[in-house]
Amino acid sequence: MPLKRYGVLRAAVIDRRIETDDTPHYQIHLRAAGVDYRAAVNVRSQLAPPDLLYLGVDNFDHPILEQAGRLPEGFTEVESRRGGVAIDFIRGNLFDRFAMRPAPATKPGPDNDLGEFLDHYVQKALGDPEARAYVFGEAWGPEPTADKIFGFRPGNGVHDVHMNQGNRGRFAGDNGVFQDGALLLHFPGPDTWVAIFLAFQSQVMHTDDITGHPVAELPDAGPAPRPSPSEPDHLVRIVAALVNPPGPAPEAETVTLLNASPGRIDLTGWSLVNGAGSRQPLAGELAPGAAVQLAVAPPVQLGNGGGTLTLLDARGLKVDGVAWTAGQGRREGWSVVF
């Protein structure tokens, strides 16, 4: 079954601790509206390979931040669906998955393991009373016993702060869409966001749109293989979108695609999917290195207030995905370049 109590904890960082035992976590003590919480962030996998995939994004910007920033203090349970604040590593177009890198849980020396990478950001939030952490994952508690790490009562917190789909075997029951975990940090002074994304190397990045299970016909290649006929990522790129054309509605929105591969690509059966899930079928061929500007047709629309657009191949597998913010969408007549 998918996660039972998926949501977001918005809270101030009070303390942190790096564990180095057999099942280590990066533990964060948080407080919101007088209630204490613990975020248990995995830094080592129980399955091989043990090192997690990690990505830390400074100056993170994405349309999801507008909704996240309006959340109240404390834990908010959210619905796992498109168009909300729920996170999906595959469908949300939050980052380029090829930017993720394996990080050991612990390693001798400074600033070279996952615990230290996390600590680099969390320490900044700990030193800023106005900073807030947004922890996406599954809630537990309140429990009658004291928290086992920080000792507050009642025990309360969030775990599964990592990708929660694409699992095989004994963790397949955790799969679901729009229920991935992440750690976002907001620093109001400079009004900047940091995003931290984690995944297990045993997970795969092409999953069923309903169940979050791995797509059956694909090999167990892990979250960051090179593009190939079976892993079509980035064969074709969305390089630009005219989100807010000049003139009155209906506007002539366009999307520009580039064939980045060395071979001809038949777009028959491919589609563009916007953040609401509306699809526009594609057709025609793209020569190697060729680009084409496509008119966006209903029911697909590109929102001026920010949005996402995903390119799927004929099997429904994600080839590329982009996102733009309200600030970009308000620039009438300007193409957003990705």
Side-chain angles (χ1 to χ4, degrees):
M1 292 179 62
L3 304 187
K4 294 179 181 179
R5 292 179 60 203
Y6 176 71
V8 190
L9 170 63
R10 172 181 171 169
V13 177
I14 303 300
D15 196 2
R16 88 287 180 268
R17 185 172 302 171
I18 304 175
E19 293 181 327
T20 57
D21 56 16
D22 291 338
T23 57
H25 289 74
Y26 183 88
Q27 305 284 6
I28 310 173
H29 182 184
L30 305 114
R31 186 172 296 148
V35 179
D36 290 279
Y37 301 84
R38 173 167 55 90
V41 183
N42 291 74
V43 293
R44 191 175 191 275
S45 176
Q46 298 180 42
L47 302 177
D51 296 343
L52 267 66
L53 289 167
Y54 160 82
L55 177 63
V57 183
D58 294 284
N59 298 312
F60 180 67
D61 201 9
H62 189 276
I64 199 173
L65 297 181
E66 186 175 348
Q67 296 185 64
R70 295 196 298 263
L71 292 172
E73 295 279 301
F75 182 79
T76 301
E77 194 165 341
V78 301
E79 187 178 352
S80 296
R81 63 171 179 84
R82 288 182 180 274
V85 74
I87 281 182
D88 190 299
F89 282 15
I90 301 168
R91 297 158 189 85
N93 300 340
L94 296 143
F95 59 92
D96 180 354
R97 71 176 176 120
F98 295 101
M100 302 188 87
R101 294 291 182 266
T106 59
K107 187 176 181 179
D111 303 324
N112 60 3
D113 59 49
L114 184 50
E116 291 165 334
F117 296 158
L118 294 169
D119 208 43
H120 169 76
Y121 293 112
V122 175
Q123 283 269 42
K124 291 182 180 179
L126 180 59
D128 183 348
E130 300 301 317
R132 289 296 180 268
Y134 294 74
V135 187
F136 290 73
E138 183 177 47
W140 81 80
E143 300 172 334
T145 57
D147 182 77
K148 67 178 184 178
I149 302 298
F150 299 106
F152 58 78
R153 289 179 182 270
N156 218 16
V158 178
H159 63 164
D160 290 333
V161 189
H162 49 67
M163 182 174 165
N164 292 303
Q165 59 183 305
N167 295 290
R168 301 183 191 271
R170 62 190 175 110
F171 292 110
D174 296 335
N175 288 338
V177 297
F178 290 98
Q179 60 157 29
D180 288 329
L183 174 61
L184 306 184
L185 299 170
H186 182 223
F187 299 91
D191 192 21
T192 59
W193 291 77
V194 168
I196 296 169
F197 303 109
L198 298 168
F200 299 110
Q201 293 190 66
S202 56
Q203 294 171 318
V204 297
M205 278 279 190
H206 289 290
T207 66
D208 180 82
D209 283 339
I210 304 299
T211 66
H213 294 320
V215 176
E217 68 268 21
L218 291 182
D220 188 5
R226 295 179 179 179
S228 70
S230 63
E231 294 274 350
D233 306 67
H234 297 174
L235 295 177
V236 177
R237 304 299 300 262
I238 304 172
V239 294
L242 183 56
V243 174
N244 188 2
E251 300 170 315
E253 299 172 337
T254 63
V255 173
T256 302
L257 304 182
L258 170 70
N259 181 0
S261 80
R264 297 187 68 85
I265 292 185
D266 183 0
L267 297 178
T268 303
W270 289 42
S271 58
L272 290 169
V273 183
N274 68 3
S278 299
R279 294 191 177 216
Q280 176 179 336
L282 304 181
E285 285 194 346
L286 268 178
V292 61
Q293 186 182 62
L294 303 174
V296 176
V300 171
Q301 291 180 313
L302 309 180
N304 295 355
T308 63
L309 190 67
T310 302
L311 177 65
L312 303 179
D313 71 6
R315 297 168 294 174
L317 302 181
K318 179 178 176 179
V319 180
D320 197 21
V322 296
W324 63 93
T325 65
Q328 293 172 306
R330 283 193 293 265
R331 299 185 69 200
E332 186 177 60
W334 286 84
S335 290
V336 180
V337 178
F338 305 106

